[in-house]
Amino acid sequence: MASDGPLTDEKATATDDGTRATGGGARDGAACPCRHKETPRDEELQADLQKRLNRVIGQLGGVKAMLDDNRYCGDVLVQLAAAESAVRSISSKLLQNHLETCVVEQIQRGNVEVVDEVMQLMRKFSR
């Protein structure tokens, strides 16, 4: 899968929740609203997430090939459902890590506003 190019990290500023927001970087002309974790993910989790993401990318490549080959809609939909399930699994693992690290760290610092962010994330993933 081709990348749109590297994101630049020209300017980093601290946010209210203690994370680092980067500005000045752009992809497709839009400013990057990215923040970075203060506590890095452990190597085992990082490797697991990368492995799972690579598998999903492969699944989606297979779906694209199925569409290009004019394969039966039901078969394509089954493969899409498998990819969606894999993405939900990745999201669940990442959300758990977020709660155990980022959220705990912010609450320990007295930033209870992070609970609002968690609630928004929970609503997004409960759809």
Side-chain angles (χ1 to χ4, degrees), residues 54-127:
N54 287 335
R55 189 177 304 135
V56 171
I57 290 166
Q59 286 176 308
L60 292 175
V63 169
K64 183 180 182 313
M66 291 174 78
L67 290 172
D68 291 344
D69 193 35
N70 201 34
R71 298 279 296 275
Y72 182 67
C73 297
D75 294 342
V76 175
L77 289 167
V78 166
Q79 292 305 309
L80 281 171
E84 285 182 53
S85 177
V87 168
R88 279 192 300 274
S89 176
I90 295 166
S91 296
S92 177
K93 287 184 171 293
L94 194 56
L95 179 60
Q96 179 176 351
N97 179 259
H98 180 59
L99 293 171
E100 292 172 347
T101 59
C102 303
V103 173
V104 168
E105 291 166 3
Q106 291 305 311
I107 289 173
Q108 288 173 340
R109 289 190 182 113
N111 179 12
V112 294
E113 293 173 2
V114 73
V115 174
D116 293 333
E117 174 193 286
V118 171
M119 292 305 297
Q120 289 175 355
L121 289 170
M122 299 296 284
R123 281 190 287 274
K124 285 183 182 184
F125 290 109
S126 66
R127 294 179 189 168

Side-chain angles (χ1 to χ4, degrees), residues 22-75:
T22 57
R27 181 171 287 199
D28 298 328
C32 177
C34 304
R35 294 182 287 177
H36 292 84
K37 284 178 63 67
E38 290 181 28
T39 303
R41 290 177 195 94
D42 66 55
E43 290 180 23
E44 184 179 334
L45 176 64
Q46 187 74 11
D48 183 49
L49 293 174
Q50 292 291 337
K51 179 183 73 175
R52 289 169 182 270
L53 282 171
N54 287 335
R55 189 177 304 135
V56 171
I57 290 166
Q59 286 176 308
L60 292 175
V63 169
K64 183 180 182 313
M66 291 174 78
L67 290 172
D68 291 344
D69 193 35
N70 201 34
R71 298 279 296 275
Y72 182 67
C73 297
D75 294 342

